[in-house]
Amino acid sequence: MRVRLVVTFVVVALISAVTATALAYRDARTAVLQRTQNAAVNDLRERVGVVAADVDLPPDERTLARFASKVSEGIGARIVVVRYQDLSATSDTLAETEGRITAELRAAVRAGSGARFQRVEWRGEPYLVVGLPVTYADGDRRTSGLEVFAITALRAERDDTAALLDSVRAGIVPVVVLAAVLALLAAGTVLRPVRKLGRATRELATGDLGSRVAVRGHDELADLARTFNETADALQASDAELRAQEAKARRFVADVSHELRTPLAAMTMVATVLEEDADQLPPDAARAARTVGAETARLSRLVDDLMEISRFDAKAVRLNASVTDLADTVRASLALRGWTDRVTAELREGVRAVVDRRRVDVIVANLVGNALRHGAPPVTVTLAVDDGGEWVVLEVADHGPGLAPEARERVFDRFYKADAARTRSTDTGTDTGDRADSGDSGDSGGQGSGLGMAIALENARLHGGTIEVGQQPLGGAVFTLRLPLRTGEEGE
């Protein structure tokens, strides 16, 4: 902006200077020529009036020459040409006049009753030629046939106007320099608060809500700075309020989850006893006992997930990392949940990385459990290393209906379920909706908590990795876990 402002100032100053120079040159040249022209016409008219009284008509060539000499002497020794019908005489017999007195001017003098003039260029030099018909002095204003022409050199006038033009041109340079200096000063005055405002805006955008701009003056920039400060104050107040509310919500969730664990433990124990004795109960009671057991287990998982999310929000989660064989970890995760026969595993052997084995197990359980619960067989788990050798890549794919684009964008959101119209069977409590919610670990067949995929992503990020979701060409969703391939003894 500084460059544009300076260039604009300089261009405007240059245009103004050139325009002023052109106008000054035109007006000066016109004034000089007009003054010379008027003087030449008046001098010739007065001198001819004085000398013509002694000329007898019709004149001979000698009379014309004497007449021309007298007129020339009275008007500053200019070249004078006198014509009468076919006779002509010149005050300077050596001067060439034919090229300077044009036929057009002769015709105008012969046809008119007053003075005529014409500026001509002859051999590179400017001249003013004034023509005047001589009239009788008896008052009838008839022309006598005498025609007088005076040739005046305009070299001095040309040099004067050229000198004026040179002086004006020389003044353009300091004008442009002055304009550039003024532009720099103006740019500094105008852009300095703009730069400060821009710096404060960038600081605000990076999270520094305490960034403010000093307000100076009462112009538009001061109003803009004042508005920025007011906006920043409001944003800081809103942020503080939101942070306070968020902290309260986290504490509430953590407290509720913690308080629920004790009664849930008792409920789980009772539900386990009831499920063990369900075969000895009447059918309705047995079905109710199994439903209570399943729902209690789901509630217990939900509480555990809420506790885990609360720890992530509080940034109280730490990695217990060690060098781990990832293929063994994936196989163990599948075997622990009885998924070995339901999942096709294509695992590259010997892939060792520094990870938290328990958290990798949570990620695998959520991704595979989600595919089994909402996808269609075959479900495949593939472990590999990228071409650069810097990332471990774990893909979990199924052949179900896949995810809609809007669901892929939100699948890692907490409590998000792709099918908002999910219902639960009144008799079995199973999920009758289709693909897919945010999942939770395990394949119970029940409705997921909607926190599993969010927890999986948080665990991946804790390792410095990520999880991406996509669509297979022939249908089905594919989740890709990418973890940095750290092979040294590292921990966080």
Side-chain angles (χ1 to χ4, degrees), residues 4 46 77 102 180 194 198 203 228 231 241 243 307 309 344 363 371 380-381 393 472 484:
R4 292 199 298 269
E46 292 175 1
T102 64
V194 173
E203 292 173 353
F228 172 83
T231 303
E241 183 179 356
R243 288 179 183 275
M307 291 291 293
I309 284 292
T344 302
I363 297 173
T380 60
V381 178
V393 180
Q472 296 194 89

Side-chain angles (χ1 to χ4, degrees), residues 151-472:
I151 302 173
T152 304
L154 297 178
R155 184 183 299 109
E157 287 75 10
R158 181 195 60 187
D159 294 343
D160 291 342
T161 54
L164 175 62
L165 181 61
D166 291 339
S167 64
V168 175
R169 283 175 179 169
I172 292 178
V173 175
V175 168
V176 172
V177 172
L178 179 60
V181 172
L182 293 176
L184 288 172
L185 294 176
T189 303
V190 174
L191 297 183
R192 189 177 299 111
V194 173
R195 286 197 301 270
K196 292 180 179 178
L197 186 61
R199 189 183 307 113
T201 303
R202 289 190 294 272
E203 292 173 353
L204 194 67
T206 57
D208 183 8
L209 301 183
S211 178
R212 298 293 185 272
V213 180
V215 179
R216 294 186 176 88
H218 302 280
D219 55 8
E220 290 79 1
L221 290 175
D223 292 339
L224 182 60
R226 193 174 297 107
T227 302
F228 172 83
N229 290 341
E230 293 172 356
T231 303
D233 290 339
L235 183 61
Q236 189 173 29
S238 298
D239 178 75
E241 183 179 356
L242 288 175
R243 288 179 183 275
Q245 292 177 356
E246 184 180 10
K248 290 179 181 178
R250 289 174 180 172
R251 285 196 300 271
F252 174 77
V253 172
D255 293 344
V256 169
S257 300
H258 181 75
E259 293 297 326
L260 286 176
R261 299 191 76 172
T262 301
L264 268 176
M267 292 172 60
T268 300
M269 182 178 62
V270 173
T272 301
V273 172
L274 289 176
E275 284 188 291
E276 290 176 352
D277 297 335
D279 294 338
Q280 303 174 12
L281 298 174
D284 290 342
R287 186 163 50 252
R290 293 189 181 96
T291 300
V292 169
E295 292 300 304
T296 302
R298 192 177 74 84
L299 183 59
S300 179
R301 287 194 301 273
L302 175 60
V303 170
D304 290 339
D305 288 345
L306 288 173
M307 291 291 293
E308 185 72 357
I309 284 292
S310 298
R311 285 193 289 270
F312 278 113
D313 290 340
K315 301 188 184 302
V317 179
R318 295 292 181 269
L319 285 179
N320 183 19
S322 61
V323 178
T324 303
D325 188 308
L326 294 178
D328 289 345
T329 300
V330 173
R331 276 193 291 266
S333 180
L334 297 178
L336 178 65
R337 294 163 179 81
W339 292 341
T340 303
D341 296 335
R342 302 174 60 187
V343 176
T344 302
E346 300 175 1
L347 309 178
R348 176 174 171 175
E349 300 295 337
V351 180
R352 299 175 66 81
V354 178
V355 297
D356 187 325
R357 183 185 181 98
R358 184 185 71 82
R359 296 191 179 279
V360 171
D361 173 75
V362 171
I363 297 173
V364 173
N366 276 288
L367 295 182
V368 176
N370 188 70
L372 291 172
R373 186 165 48 252
H374 301 296
V379 174
T380 60
V381 178
T382 305
L383 176 67
V385 178
D386 72 337
D387 294 336
E390 298 180 355
W391 295 88
V392 176
V393 180
L394 178 72
E395 288 188 355
V396 178
D398 64 68
H399 291 75
L403 287 166
E406 60 274 10
R408 289 199 294 269
E409 294 178 359
R410 299 188 56 196
V411 69
F412 296 105
D413 292 351
R414 299 175 185 182
F415 299 106
Y416 173 73
K417 301 179 186 298
D419 183 6
R422 288 178 179 270
T423 57
R424 296 169 60 195
S425 172
T426 57
D427 56 346
T428 65
T430 57
D431 184 5
T432 60
D434 59 3
R435 184 75 161 147
D437 62 22
S438 293
D440 58 357
S441 58
D443 183 30
S444 66
Q447 188 180 31
S449 68
L451 291 174
M453 299 304 289
I455 292 174
L457 181 60
E458 292 291 349
N459 279 302
R461 289 173 174 170
L462 196 62
H463 284 84
T466 186
I467 302 177
E468 299 172 351
V469 59
Q471 195 85 349
Q472 296 194 89

